[in-house]
Amino acid sequence: MAEQLRLMAVHAHPDDESSKGAATMAKYVAEGVDVLVVTATGGERGSVLNPKMDRPDVWANIGDIRRAEMDAARAILGVEQAWLGFVDSGLPEGDPLPPLPEGCFALQDVDVAAAPLVRLMRQFRPHVVTTYDEEGGYPHPDHIMTHKITVAAFDAAGDPDRHPELGEPWQPLKLYYDVGFSRAKIMSLHEAVLAAGLESPYGEWMKRWDERPDKGARITTRVECADYFPVRDDALRAHATQIDPDGFWFQVPMELQKRAWPTEDFQLARSLVDSPLPESDLFAGVREACRAH
């Protein structure tokens, strides 16, 4: 009998799991894979981006509300979820940038902050781990720190000499970075919307594209998951403080999204199994390795 496959997705804040790789997770859940979302912080310093939720009672209880939103999104995606318990660093703005708040996640020692993630990896025993690239996907200090602790934990979890107090060693077999947006993807969506006679929400992105690096060349793995885009969007809307249901993310009709770019895309950063590139499955090579045992 084949071993139960397990996927761990490590994110910085509640709502990140629903905007990055959510349809992929929902697809694997539907196929019987155990999926655990790990959330590093409580999102306490996040903005309220939904005008309908920008109220004093929401701001007064933002930490509890974001936890409740995470629980709703978790149920929609069908995943398990665990908190690492760190405090949101906020997104500093200004020139020069202000210092980060004392005690926040991004100021922790990387090895110390990775320890609770090592414990979770040894408990959950994931075969595949996903997170952000070295730039955090975008340069939020918590996203960059999430990358750092995930790489550190990936390396430490299988080493019996490191953190023996945190459980029996377990070595995940593959590490991926989410590639949420590539130039080709935005161009494809932009052109599909225009061809349908609609106004594209990506017009300004297209004008400014030269200001941001194109990570399309990094993509090694494209997971077909268009059937789960509606699940992704429902999970996004569950994060009502962060996501305006009338906002940018929902302006492209679902059928156009499915046709124009039916995959979520990843960069294979580390692999201990044989999985020729390009791939269409995060568990390529893992399935065979599990059967071999």
Side-chain angles (χ1 to χ4, degrees), residues 48-256:
V48 174
L49 301 175
N50 180 355
K52 301 176 194 69
M53 298 290 288
D54 192 0
R55 309 189 308 262
D57 60 308
V58 170
W59 281 107
N61 299 286
I62 192 69
D64 290 342
I65 289 170
R66 295 208 69 186
R67 280 181 170 265
E69 290 173 346
M70 180 69 247
D71 199 46
R74 176 205 58 72
I76 290 165
L77 293 171
V79 300
E80 300 173 61
Q81 191 261 340
W83 302 93
L84 291 185
F86 295 105
V87 177
D88 189 342
S89 306
L91 182 59
E93 295 179 296
D95 187 13
L97 290 174
L100 292 172
E102 187 176 347
C104 71
F105 176 46
L107 293 180
Q108 304 300 310
D109 177 85
V110 171
D111 287 335
V112 173
L117 186 55
V118 170
R119 185 191 298 276
L120 273 177
M121 285 186 181
R122 290 177 175 176
Q123 289 173 346
F124 182 68
R125 297 159 65 90
H127 300 96
V128 175
V129 178
T130 68
T131 192
Y132 321 125
D133 66 17
E134 66 282 356
E135 296 171 349
Y138 78 105
H140 189 299
D142 285 338
H143 286 240
I144 294 168
M145 187 63 166
T146 298
H147 162 82
K148 289 177 179 178
I149 70 163
T150 305
V151 172
F154 186 92
D155 289 339
D159 187 342
D161 295 328
R162 296 178 68 181
H163 300 292
E165 76 283 3
L166 298 179
E168 289 294 313
W170 173 263
Q171 180 58 59
L173 297 175
K174 297 175 89 174
L175 174 66
Y176 286 93
Y177 301 153
D178 175 82
V179 184
F181 293 102
S182 61
R183 185 169 193 159
K185 177 177 180 176
I186 298 305
M187 180 74 76
S188 182
L189 290 166
H190 177 68
E191 291 179 345
V193 173
L194 294 180
L198 302 171
E199 183 178 351
S200 171
Y202 298 109
E204 286 303 310
W205 281 38
M206 300 307 298
K207 289 179 194 170
R208 297 198 313 270
W209 193 268
D210 290 341
E211 301 170 17
R212 53 191 296 165
D214 178 18
K215 297 185 178 180
R218 294 187 173 201
I219 296 169
T220 60
T221 312
R222 301 179 190 275
V223 179
E224 290 261 359
C225 53
D227 288 346
Y228 298 90
F229 287 177
V231 181
R232 171 203 66 194
D233 284 5
D234 285 346
L236 263 175
R237 281 186 283 262
H239 291 284
T241 55
Q242 294 292 293
I243 303 296
D244 182 354
D246 303 315
F248 175 87
W249 296 111
F250 306 107
Q251 290 180 22
V252 179
M254 181 58 66
E255 288 309 310
L256 283 185

